[in-house]
């Protein structure tokens, strides 16, 4: 939506404010559908060098369902911008460390967890916290 608006290609009826995502989606779809009616749609141009033109001089009798080169270029740029945003917004994932317990100890841990009505990770955290407090903090 911001990309289309920045290029002056977002259809914005007077006094129209989208109230929800569905209305925003409809506005975006209408703007994309209207790209074939844009004055630049008959020529292959670079989108970055667009003059500030709007939908004032549209051809209402344009009847093709094929996408123009102009529309394909705009859609390609929107797709690339979205992919770039998603890539930049990725947060590093912390990998949880797996502790390998000697044979039989995982069963013991499961029994302790079952006795307290917890999962094994919560029980192990409590055991470690208690021992840490006893050993390190009381020294």
């Amino acid at each position: 939506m911001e990309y289309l608006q920045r290029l002056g290609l977002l259809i914005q009826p007077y006094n129209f404010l989208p109230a929800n995502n569905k209305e925003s989606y409809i506005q975006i779809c209408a703007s994309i559908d209207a790209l074939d009616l844009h004055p630049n749609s008959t020529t292959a141009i670079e989108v970055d060098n667009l003059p500030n033109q709007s939908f004032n001089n549209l051809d209402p009798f344009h009847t093709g369902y094929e996408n123009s080169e102009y529309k394909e270029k705009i859609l390609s740029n929107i797709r690339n911008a979205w992919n770039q945003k998603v890539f930049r917004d990725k947060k590093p994932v912390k990998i949880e460390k797996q502790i390998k317990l000697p044979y039989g100890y995982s069963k013991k841990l499961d029994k302790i967890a079952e006795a307290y009505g917890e999962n094994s990770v919560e029980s192990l955290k409590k055991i470690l916290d208690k021992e840490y407090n006893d050993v390190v903090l009381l020294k």
Side-chain angles (χ1 to χ4, degrees):
M1 184 176 226
E2 292 169 3
Y3 187 82
L4 289 171
Q5 190 171 23
R6 187 166 34 96
L7 293 176
L9 301 174
L10 185 67
I11 295 176
Q12 293 179 302
Y14 185 71
N15 286 339
F16 173 74
L17 295 173
N20 53 38
N21 287 341
K22 185 175 182 180
E23 289 180 2
S24 296
Y25 175 77
I26 292 169
Q27 181 183 16
I28 292 168
C29 288
S31 298
I32 290 172
D33 286 343
L35 286 174
D36 287 327
L37 303 175
H38 194 274
N40 291 337
S41 67
T42 58
T43 60
I45 61 167
E46 290 297 319
V47 175
D48 297 333
N49 300 326
L50 280 177
N52 284 334
Q53 295 189 23
S54 63
F55 287 104
N56 294 334
N57 300 320
L58 298 180
D59 178 11
F61 302 106
H62 185 281
T63 58
Y65 288 104
E66 71 285 345
N67 290 339
S68 65
E69 291 178 31
Y70 177 75
K71 183 176 183 178
E72 291 295 332
K73 181 70 174 169
I74 294 284
L75 290 174
S76 174
N77 285 359
I78 290 172
R79 195 173 300 114
N80 290 341
W82 178 256
N83 289 337
Q84 191 174 41
K85 180 192 181 321
V86 169
F87 178 77
R88 287 181 179 162
D89 288 349
K90 281 186 182 176
K91 295 185 174 143
V93 178
K94 283 188 173 180
I95 299 173
E96 291 188 21
K97 294 181 180 178
Q98 296 284 335
I99 298 176
K100 293 195 176 203
L101 297 174
Y103 180 77
Y105 281 90
S106 62
K107 287 183 182 180
K108 289 179 181 180
L109 180 60
D110 290 339
K111 291 283 185 184
I112 294 170
E114 185 180 329
Y116 288 108
E118 302 171 338
N119 63 26
S120 59
V121 174
E122 290 299 318
S123 292
L124 187 57
K125 284 171 47 178
K126 282 185 179 179
I127 293 168
L128 289 172
D129 286 341
K130 181 184 177 303
E131 286 300 313
Y132 180 82
N133 291 336
D134 291 346
V135 173
V136 176
L137 297 179
L138 295 178
K139 250 188 175 178

